[in-house]
Amino acid sequence: MLRPGSHIVNEDKQISYRICHVSKCGKWFAVADMNLVMSASNSPKPKVMSKADLDEWISKNKCEVLIHALPAEMTFSDSALEKMNRDKWIKKRDFKWRIVKSLCSEYMLHEYLYGDGIGEEIEKLIQAGSPWGSRGAYYNAVNRFISLGCTKNALLPFKLKNTGSNYLHFDKPCNELIKRGRGKSDNSKSRSKTRGITNQDKQNILNIARKFKGKWSYKMAHELYQDTYERSELQRQIGEDVCTHYLPHNLETCISYQQFKYHLKNLVGNERILKKRVGNLRYEKDYKAKQGSSIDGVLGATHRYEVDATVLDLYVRYPFDKSGRLTMGRPVLYIVVDVYSTMIVGFYLGFDGPNWAGVSQALVNACSNKVDFAAKFGEVIEESDWPAHHIPSQITIDNGKEYTNSLVKTILKSELGVTAFNFTAIYRGDAKGTVEGTFNALNNEYVHYEPGSIFKGIDRGEKHPSNESLYKYEEVVRKLINQCIYHNNSADRVNKFSWQAVYDDIDVTPQALYLHSLESEMDGGQPMTSEDLPRIHWGFLPEEEATVCKDGLLFRGVKYLSDEAAARGYFNKVVHSGRYKICVKRSHQSCDHLWHKTADGEFIRFDLKNVNNDSPLSGEHWGIVGHVLEYAKQKSFDAQEVKRHQKAKRDSRNARVERDAAASVEGLPESSRKSMQANVAERKQHQQAVNQRREEQELRRHLESTHADISILADEELIDLDNEIYG
């Protein structure tokens, strides 16, 4: 399936084209010659071709369609680039972006590629005093922006990679944010005694409007305006006291109540006034007109995924307690739902958040094979039970402060071809109605009937649900897997049927709708392959740091190894330069692997150090790993305490030995000899003979105590041995 990011290449790689943009109607494709884009001094404008012509051209030139690997730096954050001494790259990129940003909107790109062009807009920028006086500079930057994925990082100067770098001190980039207001004409005439309105008055009216929250009226707002801007404050000395007097301005210098109300409505608007009265959140949920639905603009299955999180109404049992009655609390459940079919395509159960880390784990799971996922927890399912392992075109999540907007968009678009990342207002469940409805179904159909569940109807006098927890983390995940399969194959979704679904007479379940849409409307979608696994982890998961040591990679107290990293000299570098940090990404579902992307765009997988398959961390969730590491720390602390007491016992016994030794030599003359004593070897042999006799006597007593039928040397024979040895 042709989509943005597809790489069209022939066998000898003489042809290397990238689909960098698709028209809104889906009929026209902008194709960039990547050989010229990455080598020429000026990026050429992408060619526009119809789908039929592009298919014919691909067939004629015997090309295949792959995923184009853009420069690795496009997927790195600014902090990662700074650690690579790419400070000047960031400055050059931001400088270009500020100049051409207005030309890179979706509307302007469509005009440039498929419409009348952007020559007039460029001319206006030049006449307005732009730093660039050449039209070619604008076209070069816009062409580069389009060809390299329509992201801000496309303007990074990649060609400087091999020319060295300037080692600058760390300097945070400056982001200038300009807000332009709308001009207003003065109302200089008035039928009353009050004067005409001015721009300063309008600004004062806005200042008053900002102060009001909750219940208020126009009269109250006008009185506050008069108290603030239409009276003077005088202070007079009367004796030893200072008195304050307020004098209203003359009516001719004021504006009337009608003027104030009229311009307040015009400046603020009825909608914003209502928002101030009820609050933004309540307005969006209860007052704003809603005529669309969650599937507006959704073409079919896998076109848009919705992700949301909630604290599960279920307590999870703590597995490291021998009594078995403790709980780890209520986990956070992240669910990914296909908007078109309402099929649950993935989930993640964690113990932190909600945050981007959990959302990313859920998205990785949504794109991964569910048979392998279920097998990790001991649940055996078939591919037909949960056939959801496709990469979506769009993703919708909460716009929480913990979600990194710009970097996520850049990575997902360049790595996986995710064309849109939609952020809705936080705490706005109505904006993600599909996934919110799924949460309600899970709670009402499954969670509220399990031991350790909590729900609104519980009586305060009853035993708290935390004391009734039954399932461990792995068992909860297994039950969630089975519940997702049940939901996907049992829910009634006949109201979401398209004409084609009705004609083909498919089942009414979300899974049937999902599979039918993939085949009939989405050309099979974009299923994940084994080659996609590193890109999916790198695209979705948050960026973290690990320390490279001589004996492996250290991350959160856990050691990892990699033969490929060793071959690249990652560990040998530590010997000469000391420890250093690299960017890695991980799956919270298992601590077995870490992923790292090199500067040349290749992926390295680091594996958990697991000697003889005996590591207690192998295959464990990172939440469990934390408990195991804490357990190891506690055992180490306990061992130190035991060592302290054992050392005291040892020293007590040694003190008695020292007293006995000192008593045995008490009264003997001290030696003044300067050289080594004579006959040391003979005395050593005598001690050996004494030790031998002691061992023989011990052996004799042991044999006699066991009534063994064995010949034992008589005392006379032992005496003869002594005579033979010592003479």
Side-chain angles (χ1 to χ4, degrees):
M1 182 178 180
L2 298 177
R3 56 173 57 84
S6 295
H7 187 201
I8 303 171
V9 61
N10 62 352
E11 185 175 356
D12 56 3
K13 297 186 179 180
Q14 293 296 322
I15 297 176
S16 179
Y17 287 161
R18 181 181 185 274
I19 298 178
C20 51
H21 197 276
V22 179
S23 64
K24 293 181 179 179
C25 63
K27 297 181 180 179
W28 300 97
F29 294 78
V31 183
D33 187 344
M34 299 308 295
N35 290 330
L36 294 178
V37 171
M38 301 306 296
S39 61
S41 57
N42 293 321
S43 299
K45 180 179 180 180
K47 300 178 182 179
V48 177
M49 305 174 67
S50 67
K51 187 177 187 304
D53 292 341
L54 184 57
D55 289 336
E56 182 180 354
W57 186 88
I58 293 173
S59 176
K60 179 180 178 181
N61 291 276
K62 298 180 180 179
C63 296
E64 58 178 342
V65 180
L66 307 172
I67 292 293
H68 191 276
L70 293 173
E73 288 82 358
M74 287 189 61
T75 65
F76 294 159
S77 63
D78 285 359
S79 61
L81 291 174
E82 288 167 354
K83 292 175 182 177
M84 297 169 61
N85 299 311
R86 299 289 190 251
D87 306 72
K88 284 194 173 182
W89 287 28
I90 298 173
K91 292 182 179 179
K92 290 177 180 291
R93 177 201 66 187
D94 293 344
F95 173 75
K96 292 181 180 180
W97 179 246
R98 286 194 295 269
I99 297 175
V100 302
K101 182 178 180 180
S102 60
L103 303 176
C104 295
S105 65
E106 194 65 23
Y107 172 77
M108 297 302 296
L109 294 182
H110 270 79
E111 285 295 311
Y112 177 56
L113 293 172
Y114 317 110
D116 299 330
I118 56 176
E120 295 182 1
E121 287 75 11
I122 293 177
E123 191 63 33
K124 290 179 181 178
L125 291 175
I126 296 175
Q127 294 178 359
S130 172
W132 292 347
S134 169
R135 296 167 60 92
Y138 289 93
Y139 284 115
N140 180 35
V142 173
N143 292 338
R144 184 182 182 87
F145 177 82
I146 299 173
S147 301
L148 295 179
C150 297
T151 65
K152 183 179 178 181
N153 276 0
L155 301 179
L156 287 169
F158 305 115
K159 296 178 183 178
L160 298 178
K161 180 188 297 187
N162 299 323
T163 60
S165 59
N166 296 325
Y167 293 89
L168 302 177
H169 294 290
F170 179 82
D171 188 14
K172 198 172 184 179
C174 176
N175 296 324
E176 296 182 2
L177 187 61
I178 302 175
K179 296 182 179 179
R180 293 184 174 90
R182 295 174 293 174
K184 295 290 183 179
S185 59
D186 291 340
N187 180 17
S188 58
K189 295 182 180 180
S190 177
R191 289 175 292 179
S192 65
K193 295 182 180 181
T194 55
R195 60 173 175 79
I197 201 77
T198 64
N199 288 333
Q200 184 61 50
D201 296 328
K202 296 175 183 177
Q203 184 60 48
N204 293 340
I205 292 173
L206 287 175
N207 293 340
I208 294 299
R210 294 189 185 101
K211 294 182 180 180
F212 278 95
K213 292 183 180 180
K215 187 176 181 179
W216 66 283
S217 66
Y218 290 110
K219 282 289 185 180
M220 292 175 57
H222 183 241
E223 290 178 0
L224 180 60
Y225 177 86
Q226 290 177 322
D227 295 343
T228 307
Y229 299 108
E230 292 185 347
R231 67 182 184 182
S232 301
E233 178 181 329
L234 297 178
Q235 293 183 349
R236 293 182 179 179
Q237 185 78 28
I238 302 177
E240 296 181 355
D241 298 330
V242 177
C243 298
T244 301
H245 295 273
Y246 296 100
L247 298 178
H249 294 175
N250 295 331
L251 187 60
E252 292 78 6
T253 62
C254 302
I255 63 174
S256 67
Y257 168 73
Q258 290 76 14
Q259 286 176 297
F260 175 84
K261 183 177 180 180
Y262 172 81
H263 287 285
L264 178 61
K265 286 183 177 180
N266 285 344
L267 293 173
V268 180
N270 292 330
E271 181 179 338
R272 292 178 63 187
I273 290 174
L274 180 57
K275 285 183 180 180
K276 283 185 172 293
R277 286 181 173 175
V278 301
N280 288 335
L281 183 60
R282 186 180 172 193
Y283 172 82
E284 294 291 336
K285 294 178 64 177
D286 302 331
Y287 290 91
K288 186 176 181 180
K290 302 181 183 72
Q291 298 179 358
S293 68
S294 60
I295 63 171
D296 285 347
V298 178
L299 302 180
T302 73
H303 184 259
R304 181 184 299 162
Y305 284 175
E306 282 184 1
V307 192
D308 204 356
T310 187
V311 179
L312 199 65
D313 294 341
L314 183 70
Y315 283 93
V316 178
R317 185 161 63 89
Y318 183 62
F320 302 106
D321 171 52
K322 294 182 178 180
S323 67
R325 304 312 305 170
L326 297 182
T327 177
M328 293 192 295
R330 295 163 57 192
V332 180
L333 176 62
Y334 301 81
I335 289 184
V336 186
V337 176
D338 175 63
V339 173
Y340 184 84
S341 63
T342 73
M343 178 175 173
I344 302 175
V345 294
F347 73 89
Y348 169 70
L349 192 68
F351 289 93
D352 59 341
N355 52 31
W356 169 246
V359 170
S360 62
Q361 307 298 322
L363 289 171
V364 169
N365 180 260
C367 301
S368 303
N369 184 279
K370 301 304 184 296
V371 176
D372 299 336
F373 166 65
K376 293 179 180 178
F377 296 92
E379 196 67 26
V380 179
I381 64 173
E382 301 292 336
E383 172 67 23
S384 58
D385 292 331
W386 200 355
H389 49 84
H390 296 75
I391 300 173
S393 298
Q394 298 181 6
I395 299 171
T396 299
I397 67 172
D398 278 338
N399 190 20
K401 62 181 180 180
E402 65 274 7
Y403 300 152
T404 53
N405 190 333
S406 58
L407 178 62
V408 169
K409 284 185 176 181
T410 299
I411 296 177
L412 295 184
K413 181 176 284 189
S414 60
E415 286 287 338
L416 304 177
V418 177
T419 58
F421 210 80
N422 309 313
F423 289 85
T424 65
I426 193 170
Y427 303 127
R428 282 291 314 284
D430 59 305
K432 305 182 301 303
T434 305
V435 69
E436 288 291 331
T438 305
F439 276 133
N440 294 333
L442 283 176
N443 278 326
N444 296 332
E445 295 179 5
Y446 157 60
V447 176
H448 290 166
Y449 295 94
E450 296 296 331
S453 66
I454 184 171
F455 50 92
K456 294 181 180 180
I458 188 172
D459 189 349
R460 291 187 178 182
E462 296 180 4
K463 185 186 297 184
H464 194 273
S466 62
N467 300 305
E468 300 291 333
S469 59
L470 174 63
Y471 301 115
K472 295 185 294 186
Y473 172 83
E474 293 79 4
E475 295 161 346
V476 174
V477 173
R478 291 176 62 185
K479 298 206 73 172
L480 285 172
I481 291 172
N482 296 330
Q483 184 63 26
C484 290
I485 295 174
Y486 167 76
H487 167 84
N488 293 338
N489 290 276
S490 65
D492 183 352
R493 294 294 180 265
V494 68
N495 59 331
K496 290 185 172 291
F497 272 23
S498 63
W499 179 90
Q500 189 64 40
V502 174
Y503 180 81
D504 293 337
D505 191 25
I506 66 173
D507 291 337
V508 299
T509 63
Q511 181 163 309
L513 188 61
Y514 178 87
L515 295 176
H516 178 266
S517 177
L518 277 179
E519 180 181 356
S520 62
E521 297 166 336
M522 302 302 292
D523 194 20
Q526 188 180 356
M528 188 206 73
T529 63
S530 57
E531 291 78 12
D532 293 326
L533 187 60
R535 295 192 301 109
I536 288 175
H537 281 78
W538 192 261
F540 284 120
L541 300 179
E543 189 177 273
E544 300 180 81
E545 284 188 341
T547 303
V548 181
C549 310
K550 289 193 301 182
D551 57 344
L553 186 71
L554 184 63
F555 179 76
R556 292 179 175 264
V558 183
K559 193 63 69 68
Y560 290 84
L561 302 176
S562 170
D563 293 338
E564 184 176 355
R568 289 173 174 262
Y570 274 58
F571 307 124
N572 290 335
K573 182 180 176 182
V574 178
V575 179
H576 307 287
S577 306
R579 293 185 176 187
Y580 62 96
K581 296 184 180 298
I582 60 173
C583 294
V584 296
K585 299 195 176 185
R586 58 165 172 153
S587 170
H588 285 206
Q589 202 74 59
S590 172
C591 69
D592 286 349
H593 310 295
L594 297 178
W595 295 95
H596 168 66
K597 190 174 185 180
T598 65
D600 54 3
E602 296 186 7
F603 291 97
I604 297 178
R605 194 183 80 178
F606 289 85
D607 299 319
L608 175 70
K609 187 175 182 180
N610 187 12
V611 180
N612 298 328
N613 293 323
D614 199 32
S615 173
L617 307 179
S618 179
E620 292 291 352
H621 182 278
W622 271 100
I624 304 299
V625 170
H627 287 291
V628 176
L629 294 178
E630 286 298 322
Y631 171 80
K633 291 180 181 178
Q634 184 62 43
K635 297 295 289 185
S636 178
F637 175 81
D638 295 342
Q640 291 296 324
E641 187 68 9
V642 171
K643 178 180 178 181
R644 190 168 65 91
H645 288 278
Q646 291 296 327
K647 184 178 180 182
K649 292 181 179 180
R650 180 203 66 184
D651 293 343
S652 299
R653 296 189 183 100
N654 286 342
R656 292 194 295 270
V657 175
E658 293 170 2
R659 289 196 305 269
D660 295 343
S664 64
V665 298
E666 186 176 358
L668 297 179
E670 293 186 2
S671 175
S672 59
R673 189 185 184 94
K674 301 297 184 181
S675 60
M676 184 177 178
Q677 295 181 358
N679 302 322
V680 174
E682 290 78 359
R683 291 193 290 273
K684 180 179 180 181
Q685 292 179 356
H686 181 265
Q687 182 63 43
Q688 289 176 345
V690 172
N691 292 345
Q692 181 179 0
R693 180 176 177 82
R694 184 182 294 114
E695 292 168 0
E696 290 170 347
Q697 291 175 346
E698 181 66 24
L699 177 62
R700 180 177 179 178
R701 285 194 296 269
H702 175 71
L703 294 175
E704 289 177 347
S705 64
T706 56
H707 306 285
D709 185 14
I710 187 170
S711 60
I712 302 175
L713 293 176
D715 291 341
E716 293 79 10
E717 294 175 312
L718 293 175
I719 295 173
D720 291 340
L721 287 175
D722 289 344
N723 294 332
E724 183 179 351
I725 294 174
Y726 302 110

